[in-house]
Amino acid sequence: MKITAVIPAAGSGERFGGKKQLKIMGGRPLLFHTLKPFIDSELINEIVVVVPENDMSQLSRELKSMISVKPMTVVAGGDTRQKSVFNGLKAASDSSELICVHDAVRPFVTKDLIEKAVNACRDHDGVIVAQPSTDTIKKVMEDQILETLPRETIWRAQTPQVFCKPALQEALELAEAEEIQGTDEASLLERIGYQVGFVEGSSLNIKITTEEDWLFAEAIYNRLND
Ligand code: C5P
């Protein structure tokens, strides 16, 4: 089965105050740490990295010097994550059967986690990595709690998210036509009736969104590289 990894890395980092995917951690841009397990996994045949339009030529050069062992394409992102993923999907080779989407800002993904999600995708239209919620989740409006959701049914979605390519393509095309913005790709498949499964992820697979997240990420990086 031919598998393409699509790595959306085209965010502007408004909540962070800069492009965190390019911020240096342990001497290399964060994006390079994220890409490493995808380069190392034999299940991944090619990598599409979606980057900010302004950084295209510089990042293309740098990434190509880093990744020589498997085909890699660098494409420009859109103004939303969903558009960036769609641009990445369009750049996947025609023979690709599964698409593995992973946020550039989750640098602690592992080869095992990627392969666990990919292998589980044999029984579903898509499979995501998720973590059981340890917090109690409230549905709110303004300053009022509307509902407490039963915690045992709540899982927090992470990436990697792996999908059969035709299903992801249909989900993204319909979302675009109907002007729907999903916060992840799985939700776009779910809404049109595809079956998306999940496997348990890791609490180290954090997403770096805020400056506080960077502190946690540095602590994790230092511990893992002791
Ligand atoms: O903005 P958010 O934290 O949801 O970003 C998740 C991932 O999507 C990041 O790796 C970011 O670089 C990427 N992204 C993108 N194109 C955008 C916005 C975000 O590729 N327009």
Side-chain angles (χ1 to χ4, degrees), residues 37-38 40-43 109-116:
F38 291 92
D40 291 345
S41 172
E42 281 167 19
L43 292 187
V109 63
T110 61
K111 186 168 164 283
D112 282 354
L113 199 51
I114 295 164
E115 295 184 351
K116 188 168 157 186

Side-chain angles (χ1 to χ4, degrees), residues 7-41:
I7 312 293
S12 58
E14 266 164 41
R15 282 169 294 181
F16 188 80
K19 292 176 192 151
K20 60 215 168 201
Q21 67 274 37
L22 302 178
K23 190 166 171 172
I24 302 296
M25 181 174 286
R28 309 207 77 169
L30 196 73
L31 177 59
F32 286 75
H33 298 293
T34 308
L35 288 174
K36 178 84 170 56
F38 291 92
I39 297 167
D40 291 345
S41 172

Side-chain angles (χ1 to χ4, degrees), residues 8-11 15 20-21 50 78-81 84 103-105 207 209:
R15 282 169 294 181
K20 60 215 168 201
Q21 67 274 37
V50 190
D79 52 9
T80 64
R81 181 183 183 284
S84 294
D103 292 328
V105 291
K207 180 175 172 207
T209 303

Side-chain angles (χ1 to χ4, degrees), residues 31-65:
L31 177 59
F32 286 75
H33 298 293
T34 308
L35 288 174
K36 178 84 170 56
F38 291 92
I39 297 167
D40 291 345
S41 172
E42 281 167 19
L43 292 187
I44 302 295
N45 301 98
E46 63 171 3
I47 301 175
V48 177
V49 189
V50 190
V51 303
E53 191 148 27
N54 292 343
D55 299 317
M56 268 282 283
S57 53
Q58 190 202 337
L59 279 175
S60 283
R61 260 195 324 276
E62 288 177 17
L63 289 168
K64 286 200 165 116
S65 70

Side-chain angles (χ1 to χ4, degrees), residues 11 16 20 26 35 52 67 85 107 117 135 139-140 155 167-168 171 183 195 197 201 204 214 223:
F16 188 80
K20 60 215 168 201
L35 288 174
I67 308 176
V85 170
D135 292 324
K139 190 169 174 190
V140 301
W155 284 60
L168 179 61
T183 46
Q195 297 302 311
L204 296 183
W214 188 265
R223 187 58 193 264

Side-chain angles (χ1 to χ4, degrees), residues 104-220:
V105 291
R106 290 186 190 270
F108 304 113
V109 63
T110 61
K111 186 168 164 283
D112 282 354
L113 199 51
I114 295 164
E115 295 184 351
K116 188 168 157 186
V118 164
N119 288 329
C121 206
R122 293 178 206 288
D123 305 323
H124 300 277
D125 300 312
V127 164
I128 71 164
V129 167
Q131 273 292 97
S133 179
T134 50
D135 292 324
T136 298
I137 307 290
K138 310 278 186 186
K139 190 169 174 190
V140 301
M141 193 188 283
E142 293 168 3
D143 64 350
Q144 185 121 348
I145 292 171
L146 296 181
E147 194 186 343
T148 300
L149 304 174
R151 190 170 63 185
E152 61 282 5
T153 67
I154 305 296
W155 284 60
R156 292 182 292 114
Q158 301 179 339
T159 65
Q161 302 200 347
V162 187
F163 306 101
C164 298
K165 189 178 170 194
L168 179 61
Q169 180 141 3
E170 184 188 351
L172 285 166
E173 276 167 5
L174 283 176
E176 188 175 87
E178 294 169 27
E179 296 182 12
I180 303 278
Q181 279 296 323
T183 46
D184 70 353
E185 284 61 55
S187 62
L188 302 178
L189 273 82
E190 292 154 33
R191 66 178 276 274
I192 57 171
Y194 282 110
Q195 297 302 311
V196 183
F198 68 94
V199 293
E200 185 158 359
S202 157
S203 44
L204 296 183
N205 184 27
I206 63 166
K207 180 175 172 207
I208 304 175
T209 303
T210 63
E211 275 190 70
E212 288 80 11
D213 296 332
W214 188 265
L215 297 179
F216 293 123
E218 279 190 319
I220 295 170

